[in-house]
Amino acid sequence: MKDQLVGIQVLRAFAALAVVAFHFTVSLQQDFHLTAGLVFPAGANGVDVFFVISGFIMSYTTARPSERSPASFVLKRLARIVPLYWVMTLAVFGLGLAAPALFHLSQASLTQLLRSLIFIPYARADGMAEPVLFLGWTLNYEMFFYAIFAAAMLISQRFYLWITIGAILALTAIGQFVHSGILLAFYTNDIMLEFVWGCLLFLIFQRWAKAVSALSLVWILGVALLAAQNYIEPGWPRGLEKGLPALLIVGGVLGSTMQDGVLRRTFARIGDASYSLYLGHPYALGLTAKLAIGLLGASVLSATLAGVAGLAISLLGALASFFLLERPSNNWLRRQLSGEKPPAGREPILPA
C-alpha cells in the first residue's frame, strides 16, 4: 500500500499544479489581456481530484477499528487543516485592509472574517460563496465532509462509510430540488458526490486490490474526459461531469506502481506541500503579475516572466510553509490534543 500512497502524493502535486496553471491562465486573460478566454479551464478540476482523494484517504486512515474514534478523528483533522488556513486567512484579511489593490483583494468585515475562520459559508457582495481566503470554499466542503464522517462513526463503528455515503447522497438529492438559502444551497451541492466516489474507491480497493491494479491506465481516460470538456460540456451536475473523470484518475494512479527515483521523490515532496501550494499560489501569481506589468507593461515577455517567477515563489513558499508551519503545527497539536506523536515523514492527508 505504501507505493500506492506515494502515487497519491504525486497526484496531489499534479492536481495542485493544475490549479496553479488554471489561475495563471486567468491572469493571462484578466491582467495581461493576452487571451480572449481561458486557455486551460480544465486546470480547475484539480479541486475535483482533491475531493476524490480526500474521500479515499479519510476511509483509508480509519480502516482500522482503533482509528474510528470520532473525537480523535475531528481533532486530527483540525490539527491538519486549521493552523495554515487561519494564518493565511488573517494575513489576507490584513492585506485587504492595508493594500486591497495589491492582490485584487476586497475588504471583508469582521463578521465575514469570523465566518471564514470557523468554516461557515456566506455570500459576498458579488454573490460568490467564498471566504476571505477565497480558495477556502473548498475547505468549507472538506470540514462539512469531516463532520458527516465523524457523525457516521458515532452512529456506527461498522457501517460508518455507508452512513457517510448515504447522507451525502441524500443531501445532494435534496439539492436537485431545493435551492433557497446560501447554506442549504452550499451543503447540498452535487460536488459533495466526489467524496462519495473516494469512499467507494477505497471499498473497492480494500476488497479487490488486484482488480484496481489491472485498471492502472484508466487515469489516461480520466484526463482525456476532463480535457474534452474544454470543448464539449455534457451539462451534467459537477459531481458527475468532473467527479467521475477525477475518480478514474485517482483509481488509475492508485492501481499504478511508480518506479522510485528523483522525479517521483520530487513530485511526492511537492505533494506533501500541496496544501500550502494550493492556498498560497494565487497571491504569488498576483504579486508577480503586478510587478511584471508595472515594470514591463502587459506583454508576452512580462507574462512569461511573471509565470516563471510566480511558479517558483509558489513552490518555494509552499515547501517552506510545509516544513516551518504545516508539519510542525500538525505534530505539536496532535501531541497536545491526543498525546500521540505523529510520524515525521509524509502524511497523505488533504486539505485541499
Side-chain angles (χ1 to χ4, degrees):
M1 188 65 177
K2 183 179 178 181
D3 285 341
Q4 285 90 346
L5 291 182
V6 173
I8 293 296
Q9 286 297 84
V10 171
L11 180 58
R12 283 167 50 120
F14 279 101
L17 289 170
V19 178
V20 174
F22 166 73
H23 284 127
F24 177 63
T25 64
V26 172
S27 182
L28 288 178
Q29 180 189 19
Q30 297 181 357
D31 298 323
F32 294 94
H33 308 293
L34 295 177
T35 61
L38 294 177
V39 178
F40 186 50
N45 302 138
V47 169
D48 305 280
V49 172
F50 274 135
F51 282 174
V52 175
I53 291 175
S54 184
F56 176 85
I57 291 296
M58 293 307 102
S59 303
Y60 168 76
T61 56
T62 56
R64 291 181 296 177
S66 60
E67 297 294 332
R68 294 179 193 166
S69 164
S72 176
F73 174 81
V74 170
L75 291 175
K76 288 178 181 179
R77 297 297 86 232
L78 292 176
R80 180 70 176 89
I81 299 300
V82 166
L84 177 65
Y85 179 64
W86 279 12
V87 167
M88 292 194 66
T89 294
L90 292 170
V92 169
F93 182 77
L95 284 172
L97 294 177
L102 188 60
F103 298 110
H104 303 297
L105 298 175
S106 58
Q107 292 188 5
S109 68
L110 288 174
T111 299
Q112 291 172 331
L113 174 63
L114 179 60
R115 289 182 176 180
S116 297
L117 292 175
I118 60 175
F119 304 98
I120 301 298
Y122 64 88
R124 301 186 317 193
D126 60 4
M128 299 296 291
E130 294 176 348
V132 171
L133 191 71
F134 78 95
L135 284 177
W137 68 268
T138 57
L139 295 184
N140 290 341
Y141 279 117
E142 282 285 337
M143 297 304 284
F144 186 52
F145 171 56
Y146 298 159
I148 294 173
F149 206 88
M153 284 192 289
L154 191 62
I155 294 170
S156 172
Q157 291 281 297
R158 183 178 179 184
F159 299 108
Y160 68 102
L161 281 182
W162 292 110
I163 294 172
T164 299
I165 291 169
I168 293 175
L169 290 176
L171 286 169
T172 55
I174 292 171
Q176 299 303 307
F177 303 100
V178 181
H179 307 283
S180 59
I182 179 66
L183 290 179
L184 183 61
F186 191 89
Y187 288 134
T188 60
N189 193 294
D190 59 81
I191 199 172
M192 291 284 294
L193 289 173
E194 293 170 356
F195 296 113
V196 169
W197 306 149
C199 293
L200 290 174
L201 179 60
F202 170 77
L203 291 171
I204 294 170
F205 185 82
Q206 186 182 45
R207 179 164 294 188
W208 299 294
K210 290 185 178 179
V212 174
S213 298
L215 300 174
S216 59
L217 295 180
V218 297
W219 67 268
I220 299 174
L221 176 60
V223 170
L225 288 173
L226 287 179
Q229 290 176 27
N230 289 347
Y231 311 99
I232 303 172
E233 293 187 6
W236 300 347
R238 179 168 179 169
L240 300 177
E241 185 175 282
K242 314 295 185 182
L244 292 179
L247 170 62
L248 294 177
I249 293 171
V250 178
V253 169
L254 188 65
S256 303
T257 300
M258 301 185 67
Q259 271 194 329
D260 191 20
V262 174
L263 195 61
R264 188 182 87 161
R265 290 194 293 270
T266 298
F267 280 100
R269 184 57 73 191
I270 295 173
D272 291 341
S274 58
Y275 182 29
S276 288
L277 178 61
Y278 174 73
L279 289 183
H281 76 270
Y283 308 102
L285 292 177
L287 176 61
T288 54
K290 285 281 187 182
L291 292 175
I293 292 172
L295 292 173
L296 302 172
S299 66
V300 173
L301 174 62
S302 62
T304 302
L305 293 175
V308 172
L311 177 61
I313 293 171
S314 296
L315 287 171
L316 292 174
L319 290 168
S321 172
F322 173 74
F323 286 111
L324 299 177
L325 175 58
E326 273 193 74
R327 191 164 68 178
S329 65
N330 182 47
N331 290 348
W332 184 83
L333 283 170
R334 287 176 65 167
R335 282 196 299 268
Q336 300 304 312
L337 295 173
S338 62
E340 69 171 274
K341 184 177 181 180
R346 298 186 179 97
E347 183 190 9
I349 302 175
L350 180 77

